Amino acid sequence: MKNLKKYLNWKLVYFLLAIMIVPKPAFAMHIMEGFLPVEWAIFWWAVSIPFLVIGFRSIRKTIIENPEAKMMLGLSGAFAFVLSALKIPSVTGSCSHPTGVGLGTVLFGPMAMSVVGFIVLLFQALLLAHGGLTTLGANTVSMAIVGPLIAYGVYKGSTKMGLSFSWAVFLAAALGDLGTYVVTSIQLALAFPSDVGGFFASFTKFSGIFAITQIPLAISEGILTVVIMNFLQKYNLAELKALKVFKKGAEQQ
Amino acid sequence: MKKNLLLIALVIILAVLPLFFQKGAEFGGSDDQAEAEITKIDSSYHPWFSNIWEPPSGEIESLLFSLQAAIGAGFIGYFIGLSRGKSKKDDNKEGKGKHVTY
């Protein structure tokens, strides 16, 4: 009897939630190979290249000033590697994956992550047929350039507002993740404006589909980034200080 | 580190809950659905370039994805072990040093 009651309750909860969150086809990953018209593919490549050059220089500078940081850079890359390989189910009934660039952004700044993100995307495009070479420029702009820029802005803004280091890291990683997919839908909406309503109609459509999918994943990414940061604060405080992660005594709670 | 375990549990819950809420859903990835969405807006569009190489099967694709995760996780594990070891060693040295001076 007790079991039956429990079962019924679950059914009820399930139906309520199913009504609230109707499964929609979601697409919330990188833009697939060949799915951007040629002129847009070239445009986004052109946008991404200067950032990659600046990013490469920024990394070289950091490593010359601070050779110990190589391991931390490896960690940032590894973190992005793991997170972007994890396709996680979401409330919309489809899967997407986090980006993992928030950690490196807080450690090395947004420019360095353009190179790291680019490498992850290249790996996925070549070996996994996930994303693609023609869309690599566009995907680099969303995941490796704008995502980190948003994360960096959020991190700086929230530490200035007096939020704790952990909260600043959480918000930076989560919003950077979410921002990446907003940019992806802008890119798609620009390339495929709707006949009725143009860019904005398409943008609402694309972003409406992915935003809900991405929210829980963005939260997960924020939490995981905080976990790694907690660890770094405990065992690698000297390196964090050398990278000037903390400004004006913002460290710890 | 108890807080970290709690945070990780939270992530797992976030990932598992949708499986219960959306029992009928396919949990598919993006590609096909995106294609449908784009053709809905512009039915004349055809991808003009395809992947140079595609994993021959879903199994091989998941192999490569797990390889990607394993490489990353392996490095993170190595890094964590290394820094823990280092900090332990430093602690021991400091501890001993203090002991001698007092």
Side-chain angles (χ1 to χ4, degrees):
Chain A
M1 259 334 257
K2 230 179 186 176
N3 272 343
L4 187 71
K5 213 174 167 189
K6 211 171 164 189
Y7 177 72
L8 281 175
N9 271 341
W10 270 114
K11 270 256 143 116
L12 195 71
V13 170
Y14 168 63
F15 274 117
L16 279 177
L17 280 159
I19 291 163
M20 269 160 41
I21 318 160
V22 185
K24 289 179 209 162
F27 99 83
M29 293 188 210
H30 311 306
I31 303 173
M32 296 81 57
E33 185 76 288
F35 265 87
L36 275 183
V38 188
E39 60 274 21
W40 282 110
I42 295 170
F43 173 76
W44 292 116
W45 262 108
V47 172
S48 67
I49 285 169
F51 284 93
L52 289 172
V53 174
I54 300 171
F56 190 73
R57 284 194 188 149
S58 146
I59 288 180
R60 209 174 45 187
K61 196 173 150 236
T62 312
I63 286 179
I64 290 171
E65 282 172 7
N66 194 354
E68 300 260 301
K70 258 184 223 159
M71 283 296 283
M72 297 282 264
L73 191 67
L75 181 76
S76 311
F79 189 70
F81 237 61
V82 177
L83 284 207
S84 59
L86 297 177
K87 293 181 182 171
I88 302 172
S90 181
V91 282
T92 47
S94 54
C95 294
S96 182
H97 63 76
T99 62
V101 292
L103 176 75
T105 303
V106 174
L107 294 175
F108 291 96
M111 289 307 150
M113 284 324 274
S114 65
V115 178
V116 175
F118 178 81
I119 293 168
V120 174
L121 286 167
L122 185 67
F123 178 89
Q124 292 195 327
L126 286 178
L127 291 178
L128 301 166
H130 186 60
L133 291 177
T134 59
T135 52
L136 188 58
N139 290 330
T140 304
V141 170
S142 63
M143 183 178 123
I145 297 169
V146 181
L149 280 173
I150 293 173
Y152 193 71
V154 170
Y155 173 69
K156 288 281 156 190
S158 23
T159 39
K160 235 178 214 160
M161 274 165 58
L163 287 179
S164 74
F165 179 64
S166 294
W167 273 105
V169 169
F170 171 79
L171 288 175
L175 293 177
D177 178 317
L178 215 54
T180 295
Y181 291 96
V182 175
V183 175
T184 303
S185 32
I186 291 175
Q187 289 169 332
L188 281 170
L190 282 171
F192 299 100
S194 174
D195 285 338
V196 214
F199 166 78
F200 283 103
S202 289
F203 174 70
T204 333
K205 203 170 213 169
F206 284 122
S207 63
I209 290 165
F210 84 76
I212 304 167
T213 306
Q214 200 61 29
I215 285 169
L217 300 198
I219 294 171
S220 297
E221 167 156 8
I223 294 173
L224 289 173
T225 311
V226 170
V227 169
I228 296 277
M229 275 299 181
N230 282 344
F231 180 84
L232 291 179
Q233 282 187 80
K234 193 164 177 200
Y235 296 110
N236 302 76
L237 203 56
E239 284 99 321
L240 289 186
K241 281 181 178 155
L243 286 171
K244 301 189 186 88
V245 171
F246 311 114
K247 286 266 155 70
K248 287 177 253 161
E251 66 196 78
Q252 298 292 348
Q253 277 89 49
Chain B
M1 290 286 118
K2 212 176 181 181
K3 201 166 78 184
N4 279 351
L5 287 179
L6 229 90
L7 289 173
I8 289 171
L10 204 64
V11 171
I12 293 171
I13 290 168
L14 271 175
V16 174
L17 274 187
L19 298 178
F20 291 98
F21 291 163
Q22 297 278 357
K23 274 185 185 148
E26 286 176 18
F27 287 108
S30 57
D31 307 36
D32 298 337
Q33 290 149 341
E35 198 176 331
E37 199 62 45
I38 287 171
T39 33
K40 229 191 275 170
I41 294 171
D42 181 0
S43 52
S44 63
Y45 188 78
H46 293 290
W48 54 281
F49 196 82
S50 48
N51 289 98
I52 305 173
W53 184 81
E54 266 182 62
S57 74
E59 277 69 23
I60 293 173
E61 192 184 337
S62 67
L63 164 74
L64 289 166
F65 263 105
S66 34
L67 190 68
Q68 186 190 335
I71 294 171
F75 187 87
I76 293 175
Y78 170 75
F79 182 89
I80 286 180
L82 189 74
S83 355
R84 268 191 91 151
K86 256 189 200 162
S87 87
K88 241 183 207 156
K89 214 169 127 195
D90 291 347
D91 282 356
N92 280 347
K93 264 187 200 159
E94 265 173 38
K96 267 179 195 163
K98 269 178 193 164
H99 218 77
V100 170
T101 40
Y102 283 117

